[in-house]
């Protein structure tokens, strides 16, 4: 095969010139097509790469929004469970408890003051002595023992009366009723015995008047009541 010049002959278009049986036009077209394909592939890859970046960006943004929403919800829950209002309510409750405790303490102090201002007259020495005198006189009264009754009384013999017969052992009810607060007064103290003789259907009463004479309690009057 003879050598051929790379120059086109006179009147022959350059693109029709062939090398190794392939025309210049085909060479250039193949090269142009290759470049076009490469450019197209690059564009597609760039588009895919751009889409991937966009997807990653959107995913990151959604994750950020979700994270912020979770934090906000947690903050609201925290405010509801241990916020300022429950703490203030707790403090108020403690204050109310303190006030209540102080009030009870004050009541107790007032009660103690009242007790000090008003002694236990019932169990005081005067109270015990008065009750003993009343009981001794009442026993002699129901035993029909006028002489013994006179030892606990300052009633004239002609005015002193006792039960007509001894019924002391027949009493099935014998209770002293009186107001110990009467001891703080200077006036005579009036007491009353509620009694019932066995077989009777109702209670009967013996009224007594007592006065403190020369540091001793004495019966100054005795009278039966219904």
């Amino acid at each position: 095969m003879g050598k051929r010049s790379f120059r086109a002959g006179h009147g022959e278009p350059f693109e029709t010139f062939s090398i190794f049986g392939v025309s210049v036009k085909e060479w250039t077209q193949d090269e142009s097509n290759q470049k076009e394909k490469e450019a197209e592939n690059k564009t597609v890859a760039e588009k895919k790469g751009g889409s991937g970046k966009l997807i990653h960006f959107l995913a990151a943004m959604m994750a950020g929004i979700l994270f912020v929403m979770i934090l906000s919800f947690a903050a609201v829950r925290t405010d509801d469970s241990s916020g300022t209002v429950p703490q203030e309510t707790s403090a108020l409750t403690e204050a109310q408890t303190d006030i209540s405790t102080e009030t009870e303490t004050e009541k107790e102090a007032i009660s103690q003051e009242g007790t000090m201002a008003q002694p236990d007259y019932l169990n005081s020495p005067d109270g015990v002595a008065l009750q003993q005198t009343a009981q001794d006189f009442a026993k002699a009264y129901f035993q029909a023992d006028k002489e013994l009754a006179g030892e606990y009384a300052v009633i004239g013999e002609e005015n002193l009366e006792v039960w007509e017969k001894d019924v002391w052992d027949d009493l099935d009810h014998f209770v002293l009723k009186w107001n110990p607060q009467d001891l703080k007064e200077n006036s005579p103290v009036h007491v009353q015995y509620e009694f019932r003789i066995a077989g009777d259907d109702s209670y009967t009463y013996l009224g007594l008047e007592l006065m403190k004479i020369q540091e001793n309690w004495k019966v100054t009057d005795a009278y039966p009541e219904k």
Side-chain angles (χ1 to χ4, degrees):
M1 180 185 296
K3 295 181 179 178
R4 296 191 62 179
S5 174
F6 290 96
R7 298 179 60 185
H10 295 287
E12 183 180 357
F14 178 76
E15 62 270 13
T16 62
F17 182 75
S18 63
I19 300 175
F20 301 111
V22 180
S23 65
V24 173
K25 183 176 181 180
E26 291 176 349
W27 278 99
T28 56
Q29 284 180 347
D30 289 342
E31 184 177 356
S32 176
N33 290 337
Q34 184 66 25
K35 290 181 178 181
E36 288 179 359
K37 288 181 179 180
E38 290 178 355
E40 184 177 352
N41 291 336
K42 183 178 181 181
T43 301
V44 172
E46 289 177 351
K47 288 182 178 180
K48 289 183 178 180
S51 299
K53 291 180 180 179
L54 179 60
I55 291 173
H56 286 305
F57 174 76
L58 292 176
M61 184 173 66
M62 291 297 294
I65 293 173
L66 181 61
F67 181 73
V68 172
M69 290 176 65
I70 292 173
L71 288 180
S72 300
F73 180 76
V76 171
R77 293 284 296 177
T78 302
D79 290 340
D80 290 342
S81 61
S82 60
T84 304
V85 173
Q87 291 176 355
E88 290 178 352
T89 303
S90 178
L92 179 60
T93 303
E94 291 176 359
Q96 290 175 341
T97 303
D98 293 339
I99 292 173
S100 177
T101 302
E102 292 175 0
T103 303
E104 291 299 326
T105 304
E106 290 174 357
K107 287 181 178 179
E108 184 177 355
I110 292 172
S111 178
Q112 292 177 351
E113 291 176 2
T115 302
M116 293 176 62
Q118 298 180 355
D120 183 7
Y121 291 109
L122 179 65
N123 298 307
S124 66
D126 269 350
V128 173
L130 180 144
Q131 294 174 78
Q132 186 63 53
T133 299
Q135 181 173 338
D136 291 340
F137 176 85
K139 183 177 180 180
Y141 181 89
F142 288 108
Q143 287 177 336
D145 191 338
K146 189 173 182 179
E147 182 178 356
L148 180 61
E151 295 181 7
Y152 307 106
V154 288
I155 304 173
E157 185 176 353
E158 67 282 0
N159 296 323
L160 178 59
E161 295 182 359
V162 294
W163 202 259
E164 58 185 11
K165 63 179 181 177
D166 185 358
V167 293
W168 176 252
D169 294 332
D170 295 329
L171 297 178
D172 61 5
H173 180 81
F174 185 72
V175 178
L176 176 64
K177 294 185 176 183
W178 69 299
N179 183 6
Q181 297 296 323
D182 291 343
L183 285 175
K184 66 182 179 180
E185 303 294 338
N186 294 325
S187 59
V189 176
H190 294 273
V191 303
Q192 186 183 66
Y193 270 106
E194 181 181 79
F195 67 94
R196 181 178 61 193
I197 300 174
D200 290 349
D201 296 331
S202 59
Y203 296 123
T204 309
Y205 300 90
L206 172 65
L208 301 178
E209 178 187 88
L210 295 96
M211 291 185 66
K212 194 172 184 180
I213 302 173
Q214 297 180 353
E215 301 302 320
N216 294 312
W217 287 97
K218 295 293 183 177
V219 176
T220 57
D221 196 7
Y223 43 88
E225 299 176 329
K226 287 292 186 181

